[in-house]
Amino acid sequence: MINVLITIQFKEDVLDPEGKAIAASLHNLGYSEVGAVMTGRLIRLTLDESDTARAMQKAAKMCEVLLVNTIIETYDITIEDGEENSA
Amino acid sequence: MINVLITIQFKEDVLDPEGKAIAASLHNLGYSEVGAVMTGRLIRLTLDESDTARAMQKAAKMCEVLLVNTIIETYDITIEDGEENSA
Amino acid sequence: MPSIAVIRFPGSNCDRDIITGVASITGTKPSAIWYKDTDIARHDLIILPGGFSFGDYLRGGAIAARAPIMDEIQDHVWRGGYVLGICNGFQILTESELLPGALMRNVGLKYVCRDVVIKAHHADDGLLSAFKDGQSFRMPVAHNEGNYYADEETLARLQDKGQIAFTYTAGIGGDKHIDANPNGAIEDIAGIVSENGRVLGMMPHPERNLDPIHGGGGQDGRQLLKNLIEAVAP
Amino acid sequence: MNANTTTQEHATQMGLNADEFARICERLGRAPNLTELGIFSAMWSEHCSYKSSRRWLKTLPTTGAQVVHGPGENAGVVDIGDGLAAVFKIESHNHPSFIEPYQGAATGVGGILRDVFTMGARPVALLNALRFGAPDHPLTRHLLSGVAAGIGGYGNCIGIPTLGGETHFDASYNQNILVNAMAVGLAQRDRIFLSAASGVGNPVIYIGAKTGRDGIHGATMASAEFSEDDQSKRPTVQVGDPLAGKLLMEASLELMAADAVLAIQDMGAAGLTSSAVEMASKGGLGMELDLSAVPMREADMSPYEIMLSESQERMLVVLKPETMETAQEIFDKWDVDFAPIGTVTDTGNLVLRFQGDVVANLPLAPLVEDAPEYDRPWEAITPPTPTPNDALIRDMPLSVALKTMLSSHFLASRRWIYEQYDRHVMGDTAIDCGGDAGMIRVHNTQKGLAMTTDCTQRYVLADAELGAMQAVAEAYRNITATGALPLATTNNLNFGNPEKPEIMGQIVGAIKGMGAAAEALHVPIVSGNVSLYNETDGMAIAPAPVIGMIGVIDDIMRARRQAITAPEESIYVIGNEGLGTGWLSNSVYAHIIAENTDTAAPPPVDLTAEKRHADAIRALNDKGLISAAHDVGDGGILVALAEMLLAGNMGAQLTLPAHRLTHDWAFGEDQARYVVAVADAPVFEAMLTDLEVPFQKIAMSVAAKELKLGADDAIALTELRRGHEDWLPNLMKG
Ligand SMILES: Nc1ncnc2c1ncn2[C@@H]1O[C@H](COP(=O)(O)OP(=O)(O)O)[C@@H](O)[C@H]1O
Ligand SMILES: [Mg+2]
């Protein structure tokens, strides 16, 4: 069993109105030290798989096929013991 | 400037219909090795702050005050260089 | 007649609707209060209208719940004032912890706008006092996050103290082919009141079914609002 | 000025051909720099200049006593009496919605709303027209769920009810879906705001969201054919921010109410470029802008990017100079950005400065007046012959055929879609989705405003002229069925590549048919939009000239719905079969039951009969003689009747003699017809006889929840309902 963590964020040039709204709210609450705020999603999967490299590959495929809207989002996959891969 | 990553997930006994829907879709796509799927949100902040401990504290405060609904959600804060703190 | 005010947040969009609706019952237009103004002291009933306050970013009602005017509303409640939150207003009330529990995303993962039938529960005091037990009302819901959740302990307390104000009941549509519960809410909860009965949150929109032109044909929303207004000033 | 002059190579990349580039150089007396070329390419794109269709659009009927502003403004404006005006328009967001269905559809809604509130109208309703590929195409579910959520995502949040639309499936849309959004607003007739700049020296103000790199070159993209493997042209997707849209709308309306605005224009396709050029050129003036003052979301944006960004929720305003302070207060209240970025000049030029330098200096005349206009070669349509009824299998019991048709992709309920739309916000909804036309009450009055979108593309594919005529006729009937009087039309021409003579032939034919119908039915065309190049790898869409129409009824309590809600009412068909037996050629029956998918002749349209029958419906309704009404369209009489019964959960018994109960009669799609339910049959019949309008009694409503078709053919409503309601949810479940 391998635990996979996928974090998904907007691409750099894509507007993130939610991040903007949260930043404004934090400022109103007095947190003036807050700069940029970006929001994203995360998905945690368990995979019935023993090989981390293969798990990584499969997770990447799932991201491309279903989990991530690659037109506007990017993702990172982490195998829960710490390995990482960027896309 | 300190970069803070906040990951937010549903508490264990709170239903996550989106996670279930994603699991079902992945199974339909032939990924039978997928077990549980959980969804969550992430928020990335930059803080105008030099001390990581203080940054951590402030981020935790923001979570409690606004970012997280602690009735249904839990969160983790990571300072981007790797420190972690659970709640 | 009680003095009624409606709070408008950026993104509120049922403010005009509830003002018009209440005025058609009481003959007096409730005051509209912009969230940046904080003088609400002279009103008996404060209404938090539906809509998408602050875009519903983060979580429905979350940002509005932290606006300074909510401190005033808290004071108003401590002073024994009444509060009604409809839809987004209900979300604001749970987010600000004036009501227990949370409104989560609909189990269908989609926005849902359709008629429901709700059953009211009577209480001896507070906003539910003019309702008869089991009195039913038909009106629309329209929301993304109406799936009421409370942990077991909270739920037991709500049941115990008679705080469950409205529950979804009976299928609707030609041959009742549409589920009663539109969003997966626990115990079919459509609305709850605070322990003292003075703060009420509900997902359905009474202001959308109170005029002869309204599609449902009935005017159940009018009766429901009348009951609430009567409770505030019998 | 910046010396990086451009060459044909740049021009080609931006979609300008050699002739066009040569013309630009000639008119400027030099080669443009990159920013200037970008401005030309946007202004001369098909999307902004209508270069293929303009010549034909000029032939449309656009005037009438009710028309306040016809085409040429942001939206059409129509007088609805009592000093009020309805403002409406439809617009496509086809390409962006295929790339990113949620955001594409959401920003489509946002864009059309800005067109309406720019004119000083408060938007009161939204509609849409959608086309997806075959139901079983792998992309269909993904696209449909994204589009429906996106339309709702924007409309629900900004708080404007969505009151109608149409959804069709056809394999020709597999790679090119259509997402057309329509908005309707209300204004004081004498408080309409236009875009022509005025007053040399007056401040030009940028309001709304900050500018980012979103959608750069969206207008050129919307004007180019897709190729499946060409991802390079894809611009950064625009993301809608409905909260920002709402705040911008409220702030703008408040600004206009404060009498501060001289001219106002939304930044739609081609963003700051088209808004600045249009405002200055319509005013016959010039404009000077300092791009460094534009509120920016991202660092290091170039003048080129600033001018061509299609970031959402932005407007350009020319203010009365003395109102600056009031304006600033309004924008502070709503937390909306407000930035003076330039002034109105009398130079006839658009001058752009950036960080102190002049980065563009263009005469406006060539940008606007010299935009190319093409008389593209076109092939006249040869109308196809009809499939004779006898060539179609007609042996299934009527009840079985009816049930099958009602649960086909043509006719299945669209509830799964419209339940995602808020249909009641604003508190004035009288008829929401699921009827013939949506209707709202004009706030604080007794008046009702009815609205619909329609187009049957399989008719248009077979015969563009007739098909477009039919689309107008159907919209007209949909409005009429509610009891309202149709007032005016908007349209969205969705076609393939106009450089192909057969496609151009469809466009020309559709414009002719649409024009003829609008003329005959007194519903002038007051606004519209053209979306061409809906092709992928040479495969064009089935042409869809979508018609949007509005109408008005003086007493909303007289509005009719399609639900039959009482037993023992007499049910009539008004109008008769064109050929005496019913037109099955190219009908839903032919496609679904007889499995004949020929692009055969659609039913003929008799505009005189349409008008006469509609007038009769209104006359009858004004006398209180109609309790429910529905127009006969796809699927014919029996489908119309079944829809009325399902809506009211009421049964019926057909009363026609058995030999008349044929498939031709039941499912023929002859035009100019309505099914109505009537309580007082004798008075009703006498009145129709007087009016010399054909009618026929076909059924009685009964309390038993069953449709009895004859001695030994009946079907329970639950059974009809099940297939009808379940088809789309089942499709979406996968
Ligand atoms: N995309 C949509 N959005 C809103 N309503 C829709 C949509 N698609 C279909 N509908 C509704 O479903 C009903 C049936 O549509 P349609 O078959 O086009 O009706 P008609 O044939 O009477 O024009 C209409 O009331 C229409 O408003
Ligand atoms: Mg239609």
Side-chain angles (χ1 to χ4, degrees):
Chain A
M1 227 21 133
I2 291 181
N3 293 318
V4 180
L5 170 67
I6 301 165
T7 58
I8 303 165
Q9 265 186 273
F10 287 118
K11 286 184 181 169
E12 223 174 87
D13 285 352
V14 173
L15 176 68
D16 174 10
E18 181 159 24
K20 215 174 56 175
I22 294 172
S25 180
L26 287 172
H27 293 157
N28 285 338
L29 289 169
Y31 294 99
S32 53
E33 62 276 46
V34 172
V37 177
M38 287 185 302
T39 62
R41 309 183 283 130
L42 68 87
I43 297 173
R44 234 178 253 283
L45 307 169
T46 61
L47 281 184
D48 188 2
E49 174 64 77
S50 51
D51 183 67
T52 51
R54 236 186 0 247
M56 199 78 165
Q57 242 169 32
K58 280 190 182 159
K61 191 78 199 297
M62 293 177 208
C63 286
E64 297 286 335
V65 171
L66 177 74
L67 303 177
V68 179
N69 182 349
T70 52
I71 306 282
I72 50 177
E73 296 171 326
T74 58
Y75 60 92
D76 280 293
I77 302 173
T78 319
I79 300 295
E80 289 288 26
D81 57 13
E83 268 181 67
E84 184 148 342
N85 176 30
S86 233
Chain B
M1 224 25 131
I2 291 181
N3 293 316
V4 180
L5 170 68
I6 300 164
T7 58
I8 303 165
Q9 268 184 270
F10 289 118
K11 285 185 176 167
E12 235 167 70
D13 49 356
V14 173
L15 217 63
D16 174 14
E18 187 170 10
K20 276 213 307 223
I22 292 174
S25 296
L26 287 172
H27 292 155
N28 281 343
L29 289 169
Y31 294 100
S32 53
E33 62 274 49
V34 173
V37 177
M38 289 186 303
T39 64
R41 308 182 284 123
L42 66 87
I43 296 174
R44 229 180 256 282
L45 307 169
T46 61
L47 283 184
D48 188 3
E49 175 62 78
S50 50
D51 182 67
T52 50
R54 238 186 359 248
M56 199 78 165
Q57 243 169 31
K58 281 192 179 157
K61 191 78 197 298
M62 293 179 211
C63 286
E64 296 287 335
V65 170
L66 174 71
L67 302 178
V68 179
N69 184 341
T70 52
I71 296 177
I72 47 174
E73 297 170 324
T74 60
Y75 60 93
D76 280 294
I77 302 173
T78 320
I79 300 294
E80 290 286 25
D81 57 13
E83 268 180 67
E84 185 149 340
N85 176 32
S86 234
Chain C
M1 276 299 157
S3 165
I4 302 176
V6 175
I7 311 293
R8 305 171 71 198
F9 293 98
S12 296
N13 63 30
C14 305
D15 41 329
R16 188 187 79 175
D17 312 1
I18 189 71
I19 288 172
T20 310
V22 169
S24 80
I25 294 167
T26 63
T28 312
K29 258 194 172 185
S31 331
I33 298 181
W34 183 235
Y35 82 112
K36 287 181 186 172
D37 309 329
T38 48
D39 181 18
I40 59 167
R42 58 206 171 72
H43 301 287
D44 305 308
L45 171 64
I46 301 290
I47 300 180
L48 303 177
F52 287 72
S53 57
F54 297 92
D56 269 6
Y57 291 127
L58 193 58
R59 299 176 305 275
I63 296 179
R66 276 81 182 168
I69 195 168
M70 291 309 294
D71 295 336
E72 305 297 317
I73 290 175
Q74 181 86 62
D75 288 347
H76 163 85
V77 172
W78 280 331
R79 284 195 303 267
Y82 294 90
V83 180
L84 166 65
I86 300 170
C87 197
N88 192 233
F90 187 12
Q91 294 163 347
I92 296 171
L93 290 173
T94 55
E95 277 286 344
S96 60
E97 295 178 27
L98 283 167
L99 288 175
L103 287 153
M104 302 186 41
R105 191 160 174 209
N106 300 341
V107 277
L109 303 175
K110 294 198 308 286
Y111 187 93
V112 59
C113 172
R114 64 164 170 90
D115 274 10
V116 295
V117 179
I118 54 172
K119 206 165 55 186
H121 300 257
H122 170 82
D124 288 337
D125 358 82
L127 288 166
L128 298 180
S129 58
F131 288 88
K132 290 197 260 315
D133 244 341
Q135 194 177 358
S136 80
F137 301 87
R138 180 178 173 136
M139 62 189 67
V141 289
H143 56 249
N144 261 319
E145 295 166 312
N147 176 3
Y148 184 78
Y149 170 84
D151 59 32
E152 266 173 49
E153 194 191 315
T154 309
L155 192 62
R157 203 172 54 239
L158 289 175
Q159 282 161 334
D160 195 44
K161 304 243 157 95
Q163 286 177 252
I164 297 175
F166 303 112
T167 47
Y168 301 110
T169 180
I172 61 158
D175 32 26
K176 311 235 181 285
H177 58 289
I178 301 175
D179 288 343
N181 182 337
N183 52 34
I186 195 164
E187 297 293 325
D188 296 328
I189 289 174
I192 57 171
V193 283
S194 56
E195 206 176 321
N196 68 4
R198 289 169 174 255
V199 180
L200 170 66
M202 63 185 296
M203 290 315 297
H205 286 274
E207 77 280 17
R208 295 178 178 197
N209 194 17
L210 50 65
D211 190 283
I213 69 154
H214 288 156
Q219 297 174 37
D220 290 6
R222 170 176 299 272
Q223 187 57 49
L224 188 144
L225 288 175
K226 270 187 180 163
N227 287 1
L228 294 175
I229 292 163
E230 190 187 319
V232 173
Chain D
M1 196 164 68
N2 188 328
N4 55 0
T5 57
T6 54
T7 62
Q8 178 61 46
E9 202 179 317
H10 297 105
T12 308
Q13 272 171 18
M14 293 189 200
L16 292 162
N17 66 29
D19 277 354
E20 291 168 342
F21 185 63
R23 186 180 334 195
I24 293 169
C25 295
E26 187 221 313
R27 292 307 310 258
L28 290 182
R30 63 180 167 87
N33 66 32
L34 203 63
T35 306
E36 293 172 329
L37 184 66
I39 292 172
F40 265 102
S41 100
M43 290 309 297
W44 286 15
S45 70
E46 188 69 56
H47 193 80
C48 292
S49 75
Y50 293 92
K51 55 192 168 192
S52 303
S53 57
R54 196 153 30 141
R55 174 165 193 282
W56 294 101
L57 292 173
K58 284 179 197 155
T59 66
L60 290 171
T62 60
T63 54
Q66 71 274 47
V67 179
V68 180
H69 291 290
E73 296 302 335
N74 283 302
V77 182
V78 177
D79 192 328
I80 58 167
D82 299 336
L84 297 170
V87 178
F88 69 111
K89 183 171 187 263
I90 190 167
E91 197 159 81
S92 65
H93 231 206
N94 302 337
H95 292 76
S97 302
F98 182 76
I99 295 172
E100 213 305 286
Y102 184 97
Q103 296 298 344
T107 52
V109 171
I112 192 63
L113 285 171
R114 281 193 297 284
D115 274 331
V116 165
F117 71 73
T118 294
M119 302 203 67
R122 175 167 288 278
V124 292
L126 287 163
L127 298 95
N128 58 72
L130 312 178
R131 299 290 183 281
F132 298 97
D136 58 0
H137 186 272
L139 287 175
T140 295
R141 278 197 287 145
H142 158 73
L143 292 168
L144 171 52
S145 67
V147 165
I151 289 173
Y154 203 101
N156 301 345
C157 181
I158 197 166
I160 295 156
T162 298
L163 291 183
E166 49 158 21
T167 311
H168 293 295
F169 300 88
D170 184 90
S172 71
Y173 304 109
N174 283 352
Q175 302 290 337
N176 289 87
I177 61 171
L178 302 184
V179 175
N180 295 175
M182 171 168 157
V184 183
L186 289 169
Q188 298 291 325
R189 203 209 125 122
D190 58 1
R191 298 281 297 158
I192 302 294
F193 288 81
L194 303 179
S195 58
S198 64
V200 173
N202 280 339
V204 178
I205 314 288
Y206 170 117
I207 59 178
K210 293 182 173 35
T211 297
R213 291 194 173 85
D214 327 55
I216 287 173
H217 268 305
T220 12
M221 175 180 76
S223 308
E225 201 179 306
F226 257 14
S227 154
E228 245 185 296
D229 47 27
D230 175 19
Q231 310 266 324
S232 60
K233 263 218 175 114
R234 294 183 171 178
T236 312
V237 169
Q238 301 145 266
V239 170
D241 180 352
L243 174 66
K246 164 95 174 154
L247 300 182
L248 178 62
M249 175 174 83
E250 298 297 346
S252 301
L253 292 173
E254 203 169 309
L255 188 69
M256 292 189 255
D259 213 11
V261 173
L262 287 169
I264 181 163
Q265 169 73 38
D266 70 301
M267 294 191 216
L272 190 49
T273 292
S274 66
S275 51
V277 169
E278 262 171 52
M279 292 180 85
S281 76
K282 278 193 179 154
L285 295 164
M287 199 175 273
E288 187 162 332
L289 302 180
D290 178 6
L291 300 184
S292 316
V294 168
M296 277 175 264
R297 194 175 85 223
E298 294 169 50
D300 306 324
M301 286 187 67
S302 67
Y304 175 92
E305 290 173 319
I306 296 169
M307 287 308 286
L308 292 169
S309 159
E310 292 191 355
S311 289
Q312 300 290 296
E313 347 293 356
R314 306 178 302 160
M315 320 262 272
L316 204 58
V317 187
V318 177
L319 271 192
K320 294 184 182 167
E322 68 276 14
T323 62
M324 284 288 273
E325 226 166 276
T326 317
Q328 183 74 60
E329 273 167 30
I330 292 171
F331 283 82
D332 284 349
K333 168 179 168 194
W334 291 102
D335 282 326
V336 174
D337 267 326
F338 172 94
I341 62 166
T343 46
V344 177
T345 67
D346 59 2
T347 61
N349 275 34
L350 177 66
V351 178
L352 305 177
R353 291 176 187 279
F354 187 61
Q355 295 171 350
D357 300 327
V358 171
V359 292
N361 187 346
L362 292 173
L364 290 159
L367 271 174
V368 183
E369 288 141 35
D370 295 352
E373 172 176 322
Y374 294 122
D375 184 2
R376 299 208 187 268
W378 56 283
E379 234 166 60
I381 327 158
T382 329
T385 50
T387 308
N389 287 3
D390 285 342
L392 301 169
I393 296 166
R394 286 170 294 159
D395 54 7
M396 195 182 272
L398 292 179
S399 61
V400 179
L402 175 64
K403 183 183 158 187
T404 311
M405 287 165 66
L406 279 177
S407 44
S408 72
H409 71 80
F410 286 97
L411 297 173
S413 166
R414 271 50 173 159
R415 179 191 306 280
W416 186 92
I417 297 172
Y418 61 70
E419 276 194 354
Q420 297 183 58
Y421 307 151
D422 189 337
R423 308 185 301 283
H424 313 290
V425 62
M426 300 190 87
D428 283 314
T429 299
I431 306 179
D432 73 47
C433 297
D436 283 310
M439 189 184 289
I440 55 138
R441 173 175 51 198
V442 175
H443 197 60
N444 279 335
T445 74
Q446 276 305 102
K447 236 186 244 303
L449 199 62
M451 55 201 79
T452 181
T453 56
D454 289 285
C455 174
T456 306
Q457 76 273 347
R458 67 176 188 282
Y459 293 173
V460 186
L461 180 64
D463 182 337
E465 185 166 346
L466 185 53
M469 204 182 269
Q470 190 277 340
V472 176
E474 180 173 346
Y476 183 81
R477 288 199 302 272
N478 279 336
I479 300 282
T480 299
T482 66
L485 174 69
L487 276 187
T489 306
T490 183
N491 72 94
N492 208 138
L493 300 177
N494 304 277
F495 289 85
N497 181 350
E499 292 158 40
K500 296 181 182 165
E502 69 275 16
I503 303 280
M504 201 56 219
Q506 291 174 343
I507 298 172
V508 172
I511 291 176
K512 286 183 178 172
M514 183 168 94
E519 178 95 60
L521 300 173
H522 307 309
V523 280
I525 291 165
V526 295
S527 58
N529 179 250
V530 178
S531 169
L532 303 180
Y533 298 95
N534 291 289
E535 296 204 16
T536 297
D537 297 331
M539 281 277 298
I541 58 161
V546 171
I547 299 300
M549 198 179 287
I550 63 161
V552 70
I553 186 166
D554 283 331
D555 177 5
I556 197 163
M557 294 313 291
R558 280 208 320 271
R560 290 302 106 182
R561 298 181 174 80
Q562 69 181 41
I564 296 178
T565 53
E568 286 174 43
E569 293 201 337
S570 304
I571 299 170
Y572 290 84
V573 172
I574 291 180
N576 52 11
E577 294 87 19
L579 295 179
T581 60
W583 188 279
L584 288 182
S585 170
N586 208 350
S587 66
V588 172
Y589 180 88
H591 283 255
I592 291 293
I593 306 294
E595 295 180 31
N596 178 307
T597 56
D598 295 347
T599 41
V605 174
D606 176 346
L607 295 169
T608 315
E610 290 286 0
K611 176 97 181 29
R612 194 150 40 86
H613 299 177
D615 288 343
I617 292 278
R618 278 183 289 274
L620 292 161
N621 189 46
D622 286 348
K623 290 243 150 52
L625 290 169
I626 292 179
S627 55
H630 186 16
D631 86 301
V632 178
D634 267 359
I637 290 172
L638 206 51
V639 164
L641 173 62
E643 287 171 346
M644 296 172 82
L645 298 173
L646 288 174
N649 201 31
M650 193 55 55
Q653 157 106 55
L654 289 192
T655 53
L656 282 185
H659 72 275
R660 300 266 347 251
L661 291 179
T662 63
H663 292 71
D664 310 24
W665 171 81
F667 303 120
E669 295 181 359
D670 306 82
Q671 301 293 296
R673 299 189 300 171
Y674 302 81
V675 176
V676 296
V678 171
D680 190 344
V683 180
F684 173 88
E685 293 195 7
M687 188 159 166
L688 276 180
T689 310
D690 270 359
L691 292 168
E692 293 179 42
V693 166
F695 65 90
Q696 177 140 55
K697 181 166 168 186
I698 61 164
M700 289 296 288
S701 60
V702 298
K705 310 278 182 252
E706 183 182 58
L707 174 56
K708 282 192 93 121
L709 294 153
D712 46 8
D713 192 15
I715 186 163
L717 287 193
T718 31
E719 208 183 325
L720 282 179
R721 184 177 330 269
R722 208 180 309 133
H724 183 61
E725 290 292 350
D726 288 352
W727 180 82
L728 191 49
N730 285 341
L731 175 73
M732 298 313 291
K733 243 183 268 160

